[in-house]
Coordinates of all heavy atoms in Angstrom, one line a residue:
M25 N -36.3 -44.1 15.2 CA -36.7 -45.5 14.8 C -37.7 -45.5 13.7 O -38.6 -44.6 13.7 CB -37.3 -46.1 16.1 CG -37.9 -47.5 15.8 SD -38.7 -48.2 17.3 CE -39.4 -49.7 16.6
E26 N -37.5 -46.3 12.8 CA -38.4 -46.4 11.6 C -39.5 -47.4 12.0 O -39.3 -48.5 12.5 CB -37.7 -46.9 10.4 CG -38.5 -46.8 9.1 CD -37.8 -47.2 7.9 OE1 -37.6 -48.4 7.6 OE2 -37.3 -46.3 7.2
G27 N -40.7 -47.0 11.7 CA -41.9 -47.9 11.9 C -43.1 -47.2 11.6 O -43.1 -46.0 11.1
C28 N -44.3 -47.9 11.7 CA -45.5 -47.3 11.4 C -45.8 -46.2 12.4 O -45.8 -46.4 13.6 CB -46.6 -48.4 11.5 SG -48.3 -47.7 11.3
E29 N -46.0 -45.0 11.9 CA -46.2 -43.8 12.8 C -47.4 -44.0 13.7 O -47.3 -43.8 14.9 CB -46.4 -42.6 12.0 CG -45.2 -42.2 11.1 CD -45.4 -41.2 10.1 OE1 -46.4 -40.5 10.2 OE2 -44.7 -41.1 9.1
E30 N -48.5 -44.5 13.2 CA -49.7 -44.7 14.0 C -49.6 -45.8 15.0 O -50.0 -45.7 16.2 CB -50.9 -44.9 13.1 CG -51.5 -43.7 12.4 CD -50.7 -43.4 11.1 OE1 -49.8 -44.1 10.8 OE2 -51.1 -42.4 10.4
C31 N -48.9 -46.9 14.6 CA -48.7 -48.0 15.6 C -47.8 -47.6 16.7 O -48.0 -47.9 17.8 CB -48.1 -49.2 14.9 SG -49.4 -50.2 13.9
L32 N -46.7 -46.8 16.4 CA -45.8 -46.3 17.4 C -46.6 -45.4 18.4 O -46.4 -45.5 19.6 CB -44.7 -45.6 16.8 CG -43.6 -46.4 16.1 CD1 -42.6 -45.6 15.3 CD2 -42.9 -47.3 17.0
A33 N -47.5 -44.6 17.8 CA -48.3 -43.7 18.7 C -49.3 -44.5 19.6 O -49.5 -44.1 20.7 CB -49.0 -42.7 17.8
E34 N -49.8 -45.6 19.0 CA -50.9 -46.3 19.7 C -50.3 -47.5 20.5 O -50.9 -48.1 21.4 CB -51.9 -46.9 18.7 CG -52.7 -45.9 18.0 CD -53.4 -46.4 16.8 OE1 -53.5 -47.7 16.7 OE2 -53.9 -45.6 16.0
G35 N -49.0 -47.8 20.3 CA -48.3 -48.9 21.0 C -48.7 -50.3 20.5 O -48.7 -51.2 21.3
T36 N -49.2 -50.4 19.3 CA -49.6 -51.7 18.7 C -48.5 -52.2 17.8 O -47.6 -51.5 17.4 CB -50.9 -51.6 17.9 OG1 -50.8 -50.5 17.0 CG2 -52.0 -51.3 18.9
Q37 N -48.6 -53.5 17.5 CA -47.5 -54.1 16.7 C -48.0 -54.1 15.2 O -49.1 -54.1 14.9 CB -47.4 -55.6 17.1 CG -46.9 -55.7 18.5 CD -45.4 -55.7 18.6 OE1 -44.7 -56.2 17.8 NE2 -44.9 -55.1 19.7
W38 N -47.0 -54.1 14.3 CA -47.2 -54.2 12.9 C -46.5 -55.5 12.4 O -45.6 -56.0 13.0 CB -46.8 -53.0 12.1 CG -45.4 -52.7 12.2 CD1 -44.4 -53.2 11.5 CD2 -44.7 -51.8 13.2 NE1 -43.2 -52.7 11.9 CE2 -43.3 -51.8 12.9 CE3 -45.2 -50.9 14.2 CZ2 -42.4 -51.1 13.6 CZ3 -44.3 -50.2 14.9 CH2 -42.9 -50.3 14.6
V39 N -47.0 -55.9 11.2 CA -46.4 -57.1 10.5 C -45.3 -56.6 9.5 O -44.2 -57.0 9.6 CB -47.4 -58.0 9.9 CG1 -46.8 -59.2 9.2 CG2 -48.5 -58.4 10.9
H40 N -45.8 -55.9 8.5 CA -44.9 -55.4 7.5 C -45.1 -53.9 7.3 O -46.2 -53.4 7.7 CB -45.1 -56.0 6.2 CG -44.7 -57.5 6.2 ND1 -43.4 -58.0 6.5 CD2 -45.4 -58.6 6.0 CE1 -43.4 -59.3 6.5 NE2 -44.6 -59.7 6.1
L41 N -44.1 -53.2 6.8 CA -44.3 -51.7 6.6 C -44.3 -51.4 5.1 O -43.7 -52.0 4.2 CB -43.0 -51.0 7.2 CG -42.9 -51.1 8.7 CD1 -41.6 -50.5 9.1 CD2 -44.1 -50.5 9.4
R42 N -45.2 -50.4 4.8 CA -45.3 -49.8 3.5 C -45.0 -48.4 3.5 O -45.3 -47.7 4.5 CB -46.7 -50.0 3.0 CG -47.2 -51.4 3.1 CD -46.6 -52.3 2.0 NE -47.1 -53.7 2.2 CZ -46.3 -54.7 2.6 NH1 -45.0 -54.4 2.9 NH2 -46.7 -55.9 2.6
M43 N -44.3 -47.8 2.5 CA -44.0 -46.4 2.4 C -44.8 -45.8 1.3 O -44.7 -46.2 0.1 CB -42.5 -46.2 2.2 CG -42.1 -44.8 2.3 SD -40.3 -44.5 2.1 CE -40.2 -44.7 0.4
C44 N -45.4 -44.7 1.6 CA -46.2 -43.9 0.6 C -45.2 -43.2 -0.3 O -44.2 -42.6 0.1 CB -47.0 -42.8 1.3 SG -47.9 -41.7 0.1
Q45 N -45.4 -43.4 -1.6 CA -44.5 -42.9 -2.6 C -44.7 -41.4 -2.8 O -43.9 -40.7 -3.4 CB -44.7 -43.6 -4.0 CG -44.2 -45.0 -4.0 CD -42.7 -45.1 -4.1 OE1 -41.9 -44.6 -3.3 NE2 -42.2 -45.8 -5.2
S46 N -45.9 -40.9 -2.4 CA -46.2 -39.5 -2.6 C -45.5 -38.6 -1.5 O -45.0 -37.5 -1.7 CB -47.7 -39.2 -2.5 OG -48.3 -39.9 -3.6
C47 N -45.6 -39.0 -0.2 CA -45.1 -38.2 0.9 C -44.2 -38.9 1.8 O -43.7 -38.2 2.8 CB -46.3 -37.7 1.6 SG -47.2 -38.9 2.6
G48 N -43.9 -40.2 1.6 CA -42.9 -40.8 2.5 C -43.5 -41.3 3.8 O -42.8 -41.8 4.7
H49 N -44.8 -41.3 4.0 CA -45.5 -41.8 5.2 C -45.2 -43.3 5.3 O -45.4 -44.0 4.3 CB -47.0 -41.5 5.1 CG -47.8 -42.2 6.1 ND1 -48.2 -43.5 6.0 CD2 -48.2 -41.8 7.4 CE1 -48.9 -43.8 7.1 NE2 -48.9 -42.8 7.9
I50 N -44.9 -43.7 6.5 CA -44.7 -45.1 6.8 C -45.9 -45.7 7.5 O -46.3 -45.1 8.5 CB -43.4 -45.4 7.7 CG1 -42.2 -44.8 7.0 CG2 -43.3 -46.8 8.0 CD1 -41.6 -45.7 5.9
G51 N -46.5 -46.7 6.9 CA -47.7 -47.3 7.5 C -47.6 -48.8 7.4 O -46.8 -49.4 6.7
C52 N -48.4 -49.5 8.2 CA -48.4 -51.0 8.2 C -49.3 -51.6 7.2 O -50.3 -51.0 6.8 CB -48.7 -51.5 9.6 SG -50.2 -50.9 10.4
C53 N -49.0 -52.8 6.8 CA -49.7 -53.5 5.7 C -51.0 -54.0 6.2 O -51.4 -53.9 7.4 CB -48.8 -54.7 5.2 SG -48.7 -56.0 6.4
D54 N -51.8 -54.7 5.3 CA -53.1 -55.1 5.6 C -53.1 -56.4 6.5 O -54.1 -56.9 6.9 CB -53.9 -55.4 4.3 CG -54.4 -54.1 3.8 OD1 -54.2 -53.0 4.4 OD2 -55.0 -54.1 2.7
N55 N -51.9 -57.0 6.6 CA -51.8 -58.2 7.6 C -51.6 -57.7 9.0 O -51.7 -58.5 9.9 CB -50.6 -59.0 7.2 CG -50.8 -59.8 5.9 OD1 -52.0 -60.1 5.6 ND2 -49.8 -60.0 5.1
S56 N -51.4 -56.4 9.2 CA -51.3 -55.8 10.5 C -52.6 -55.4 11.0 O -53.6 -55.1 10.3 CB -50.3 -54.6 10.4 OG -49.1 -54.9 9.8
T57 N -52.7 -55.3 12.3 CA -54.0 -54.9 12.9 C -54.5 -53.5 12.5 O -55.7 -53.4 12.2 CB -53.8 -54.9 14.5 OG1 -53.2 -56.1 14.9 CG2 -55.2 -54.8 15.2
G58 N -53.6 -52.6 12.4 CA -54.0 -51.2 12.1 C -54.3 -50.9 10.7 O -55.1 -50.0 10.4
K59 N -53.6 -51.7 9.7 CA -53.8 -51.4 8.3 C -53.6 -49.9 8.0 O -54.4 -49.3 7.2 CB -55.2 -51.8 7.8 CG -55.4 -53.3 8.0 CD -56.8 -53.7 7.4 CE -57.1 -55.1 7.3 NZ -57.2 -55.8 8.6
H60 N -52.6 -49.3 8.6 CA -52.4 -47.9 8.5 C -51.9 -47.4 7.1 O -52.2 -46.2 6.8 CB -51.5 -47.4 9.6 CG -52.1 -47.5 11.0 ND1 -51.5 -48.3 12.0 CD2 -53.2 -47.0 11.5 CE1 -52.3 -48.2 13.1 NE2 -53.3 -47.5 12.8
A61 N -51.3 -48.2 6.4 CA -50.9 -47.8 5.0 C -52.2 -47.6 4.2 O -52.3 -46.6 3.5 CB -50.0 -48.8 4.3
T62 N -53.1 -48.5 4.3 CA -54.4 -48.4 3.6 C -55.2 -47.2 4.1 O -55.8 -46.4 3.4 CB -55.2 -49.6 3.7 OG1 -54.5 -50.7 3.1 CG2 -56.6 -49.5 3.0
Q63 N -55.2 -47.0 5.4 CA -55.8 -45.9 6.1 C -55.3 -44.6 5.6 O -56.0 -43.6 5.3 CB -55.7 -46.0 7.6 CG -56.4 -44.8 8.3 CD -56.1 -44.9 9.8 OE1 -56.5 -45.9 10.5 NE2 -55.5 -43.9 10.4
H64 N -53.9 -44.5 5.4 CA -53.3 -43.3 4.9 C -53.8 -43.0 3.5 O -54.0 -41.9 3.1 CB -51.8 -43.5 4.9 CG -51.0 -42.4 4.3 ND1 -51.0 -41.1 4.9 CD2 -50.4 -42.3 3.1 CE1 -50.3 -40.3 4.0 NE2 -49.9 -41.0 3.0
H65 N -53.9 -44.1 2.7 CA -54.4 -43.9 1.3 C -55.8 -43.3 1.3 O -56.1 -42.4 0.6 CB -54.3 -45.2 0.5 CG -55.3 -45.2 -0.6 ND1 -55.1 -44.5 -1.7 CD2 -56.4 -45.9 -0.8 CE1 -56.1 -44.7 -2.6 NE2 -56.9 -45.5 -2.1
R66 N -56.6 -43.9 2.2 CA -58.0 -43.4 2.2 C -58.1 -41.9 2.6 O -58.9 -41.1 2.1 CB -58.8 -44.2 3.2 CG -59.1 -45.6 2.7 CD -60.4 -46.2 3.3 NE -60.5 -47.6 3.0 CZ -60.1 -48.5 3.9 NH1 -59.6 -48.2 5.0 NH2 -60.2 -49.8 3.6
E67 N -57.3 -41.6 3.6 CA -57.3 -40.2 4.1 C -56.7 -39.2 3.2 O -57.1 -38.0 3.1 CB -56.6 -40.1 5.5 CG -57.4 -40.9 6.6 CD -56.7 -41.0 7.9 OE1 -55.5 -40.6 7.9 OE2 -57.3 -41.4 8.9
S68 N -55.6 -39.6 2.5 CA -54.8 -38.7 1.8 C -55.1 -38.7 0.3 O -54.8 -37.8 -0.5 CB -53.3 -38.9 2.0 OG -53.0 -40.2 1.4
G69 N -55.6 -39.9 -0.2 CA -55.7 -40.1 -1.6 C -54.4 -40.4 -2.4 O -54.4 -40.6 -3.6
H70 N -53.3 -40.6 -1.6 CA -52.1 -40.9 -2.3 C -52.2 -42.4 -2.8 O -52.5 -43.3 -2.1 CB -50.9 -40.8 -1.3 CG -50.7 -39.4 -0.8 ND1 -50.0 -39.1 0.4 CD2 -51.1 -38.2 -1.3 CE1 -50.0 -37.8 0.5 NE2 -50.6 -37.2 -0.5
P71 N -51.9 -42.5 -4.1 CA -52.2 -43.8 -4.8 C -51.3 -44.9 -4.6 O -51.6 -46.1 -4.8 CB -52.3 -43.4 -6.2 CG -51.4 -42.2 -6.4 CD -51.4 -41.5 -5.0
I72 N -50.0 -44.7 -4.3 CA -49.0 -45.7 -4.4 C -48.2 -45.9 -3.1 O -47.7 -44.9 -2.6 CB -48.0 -45.4 -5.6 CG1 -48.8 -45.5 -6.9 CG2 -46.9 -46.5 -5.6 CD1 -48.1 -44.9 -8.1
A73 N -48.1 -47.1 -2.7 CA -47.2 -47.4 -1.5 C -46.2 -48.5 -2.0 O -46.6 -49.4 -2.6 CB -48.1 -47.9 -0.4
R74 N -45.0 -48.3 -1.6 CA -44.0 -49.4 -1.9 C -43.7 -50.1 -0.6 O -43.8 -49.6 0.5 CB -42.8 -48.8 -2.6 CG -41.9 -47.9 -1.7 CD -40.5 -47.9 -2.2 NE -39.9 -49.1 -1.9 CZ -38.7 -49.5 -2.4 NH1 -38.0 -48.7 -3.2 NH2 -38.2 -50.7 -2.1
S75 N -43.2 -51.3 -0.8 CA -42.7 -52.1 0.4 C -41.6 -51.4 1.0 O -40.6 -51.0 0.3 CB -42.4 -53.5 -0.1 OG -41.8 -54.2 1.0
A76 N -41.6 -51.4 2.3 CA -40.5 -50.8 3.1 C -39.7 -52.0 3.7 O -38.8 -51.7 4.6 CB -41.0 -49.9 4.2
E77 N -39.9 -53.2 3.3 CA -39.2 -54.4 3.8 C -37.9 -54.5 3.1 O -37.8 -54.3 1.9 CB -40.0 -55.6 3.6 CG -41.3 -55.6 4.4 CD -41.1 -55.5 5.9 OE1 -40.2 -56.2 6.5 OE2 -41.7 -54.6 6.6
P78 N -36.8 -54.9 3.8 CA -35.5 -55.1 3.2 C -35.6 -56.1 2.1 O -36.2 -57.2 2.3 CB -34.6 -55.6 4.3 CG -35.3 -55.1 5.6 CD -36.8 -55.1 5.2
G79 N -35.0 -55.8 0.9 CA -35.0 -56.8 -0.2 C -36.2 -56.8 -1.0 O -36.2 -57.6 -2.0
E80 N -37.2 -56.1 -0.7 CA -38.5 -56.1 -1.5 C -38.5 -54.8 -2.2 O -38.3 -53.7 -1.7 CB -39.7 -56.2 -0.6 CG -39.8 -57.6 0.1 CD -41.1 -57.7 0.9 OE1 -41.9 -56.8 0.9 OE2 -41.2 -58.8 1.5
D81 N -38.8 -54.9 -3.5 CA -38.8 -53.7 -4.4 C -40.1 -53.4 -5.1 O -40.2 -52.7 -6.0 CB -37.6 -53.7 -5.4 CG -37.8 -54.9 -6.4 OD1 -38.7 -55.7 -6.2 OD2 -37.0 -54.9 -7.3
W82 N -41.2 -54.1 -4.6 CA -42.4 -53.9 -5.3 C -43.2 -52.8 -4.8 O -43.0 -52.3 -3.6 CB -43.2 -55.2 -5.3 CG -43.5 -55.7 -3.9 CD1 -42.7 -56.7 -3.3 CD2 -44.5 -55.4 -3.0 NE1 -43.2 -56.9 -2.0 CE2 -44.3 -56.1 -1.8 CE3 -45.6 -54.5 -3.0 CZ2 -45.1 -56.0 -0.7 CZ3 -46.4 -54.3 -1.9 CH2 -46.2 -55.1 -0.8
S83 N -44.1 -52.2 -5.6 CA -45.0 -51.2 -5.2 C -46.5 -51.6 -5.4 O -46.7 -52.5 -6.2 CB -44.8 -49.9 -6.0 OG -43.4 -49.5 -5.8
W84 N -47.4 -51.0 -4.6 CA -48.8 -51.4 -4.7 C -49.5 -50.1 -5.1 O -49.4 -49.1 -4.5 CB -49.3 -51.9 -3.4 CG -50.8 -52.1 -3.3 CD1 -51.7 -51.3 -2.7 CD2 -51.5 -53.2 -3.9 NE1 -52.9 -51.8 -2.9 CE2 -52.9 -53.0 -3.6 CE3 -51.1 -54.3 -4.6 CZ2 -53.9 -53.9 -4.0 CZ3 -52.1 -55.2 -5.1 CH2 -53.5 -55.0 -4.8
C85 N -50.3 -50.2 -6.2 CA -51.2 -49.1 -6.6 C -52.6 -49.4 -6.1 O -53.2 -50.3 -6.4 CB -51.2 -49.0 -8.1 SG -52.2 -47.6 -8.6
Y86 N -53.1 -48.5 -5.2 CA -54.4 -48.6 -4.6 C -55.5 -48.4 -5.7 O -56.6 -48.9 -5.6 CB -54.6 -47.7 -3.4 CG -53.8 -48.1 -2.2 CD1 -52.7 -47.4 -1.8 CD2 -54.3 -49.1 -1.4 CE1 -52.0 -47.8 -0.7 CE2 -53.6 -49.5 -0.3 CZ -52.5 -48.8 0.1 OH -51.8 -49.2 1.2
V87 N -55.2 -47.5 -6.6 CA -56.2 -47.2 -7.6 C -56.4 -48.4 -8.6 O -57.5 -48.8 -8.8 CB -55.7 -46.0 -8.5 CG1 -56.7 -45.6 -9.6 CG2 -55.5 -44.8 -7.5
D88 N -55.3 -49.0 -9.1 CA -55.5 -50.1 -10.0 C -55.5 -51.4 -9.2 O -55.8 -52.5 -9.8 CB -54.3 -50.2 -10.9 CG -54.2 -49.0 -11.9 OD1 -55.3 -48.5 -12.2 OD2 -53.1 -48.6 -12.2
E89 N -55.3 -51.4 -7.9 CA -55.2 -52.6 -7.1 C -54.3 -53.6 -7.7 O -54.6 -54.8 -8.0 CB -56.6 -53.2 -6.8 CG -57.5 -52.2 -6.1 CD -58.7 -52.9 -5.6 OE1 -59.3 -53.7 -6.3 OE2 -59.2 -52.5 -4.5
E90 N -53.0 -53.2 -7.9 CA -52.1 -54.0 -8.7 C -50.7 -53.8 -8.2 O -50.3 -52.6 -7.8 CB -52.2 -53.5 -10.2 CG -51.6 -54.4 -11.2 CD -52.0 -53.9 -12.6 OE1 -51.3 -53.1 -13.1 OE2 -53.0 -54.4 -13.1
V91 N -49.9 -54.8 -8.2 CA -48.5 -54.8 -7.8 C -47.7 -54.5 -9.0 O -48.0 -55.0 -10.1 CB -48.1 -56.1 -7.2 CG1 -46.5 -56.1 -7.0 CG2 -48.8 -56.4 -5.9
F92 N -46.7 -53.6 -8.9 CA -45.8 -53.4 -10.0 C -44.4 -53.0 -9.4 O -44.2 -52.8 -8.3 CB -46.3 -52.2 -10.9 CG -46.3 -50.9 -10.2 CD1 -45.2 -50.0 -10.3 CD2 -47.3 -50.5 -9.3 CE1 -45.2 -48.7 -9.7 CE2 -47.3 -49.3 -8.7 CZ -46.3 -48.4 -8.9
R93 N -43.4 -53.1 -10.3 CA -42.1 -52.7 -9.9 C -41.6 -51.5 -10.8 O -41.8 -51.5 -11.9 CB -41.1 -53.9 -10.2 CG -41.2 -55.0 -9.1 CD -40.3 -56.1 -9.3 NE -40.2 -56.9 -8.1 CZ -41.1 -57.8 -7.8 NH1 -42.2 -58.0 -8.5 NH2 -41.0 -58.5 -6.7
L94 N -41.0 -50.6 -10.1 CA -40.4 -49.5 -10.8 C -39.1 -50.0 -11.4 O -38.3 -50.7 -10.8 CB -40.0 -48.4 -9.8 CG -41.2 -47.7 -9.1 CD1 -40.8 -46.8 -8.0 CD2 -42.1 -47.0 -10.1
S95 N -38.9 -49.6 -12.7 CA -37.7 -50.0 -13.4 C -36.6 -49.2 -12.9 O -36.7 -48.0 -12.6 CB -37.9 -49.8 -14.9 OG -38.1 -48.5 -15.2
R96 N -35.4 -49.8 -12.8 CA -34.3 -49.1 -12.2 C -33.2 -49.0 -13.3 O -32.7 -50.0 -13.8 CB -33.7 -49.9 -11.0 CG -34.6 -49.9 -9.8 CD -34.0 -50.6 -8.7 NE -34.8 -50.5 -7.5 CZ -34.5 -51.2 -6.4 NH1 -33.4 -51.9 -6.3 NH2 -35.3 -51.1 -5.3
G97 N -32.8 -47.8 -13.6 CA -31.7 -47.6 -14.3 C -31.7 -47.7 -15.8 O -30.7 -47.7 -16.4
Ligands
ZN102 ZN1 -49.9 -49.2 11.8
ZN103 ZN1 -48.8 -40.1 1.5

């Protein structure tokens, strides 16, 4: 099952999922109780998380605090 690893471990709910572009870690967004995507960034220093929601193709850079889209093709 795909989901926030920490939330699954703790048994809490998440709102949206973000995927770390550096290592593929799945964490929940800042609207979720755990904010585990941000926590992962703080612990790992990995700078970019992209949306793991269906139909969403944006990424978030924690360093620049900016949304961007990767160009495709
Ligand atoms: Zn979480
Ligand atoms: Zn990572």
Side-chain angles (χ1 to χ4, degrees):
M25 176 183 172
E26 190 177 82
C28 173
E29 295 166 22
E30 283 84 359
C31 282
L32 288 172
E34 294 167 11
T36 51
Q37 297 275 325
W38 61 83
V39 181
H40 295 300
L41 296 174
R42 308 285 177 251
M43 185 178 76
C44 175
Q45 289 283 56
S46 299
C47 71
H49 171 274
I50 301 284
C52 51
C53 71
D54 283 357
N55 292 328
S56 309
T57 311
K59 300 182 170 64
H60 290 121
T62 299
Q63 179 182 302
H64 173 72
H65 159 68
R66 289 208 192 94
E67 290 175 350
S68 67
H70 296 162
I72 296 167
R74 66 157 289 169
S75 175
E77 296 299 312
E80 295 186 2
D81 65 350
W82 54 267
S83 302
W84 172 257
C85 179
Y86 287 105
V87 178
D88 295 330
E89 298 192 323
E90 199 169 83
V91 172
F92 66 96
R93 282 182 168 79
L94 299 172
S95 59
R96 291 182 178 177

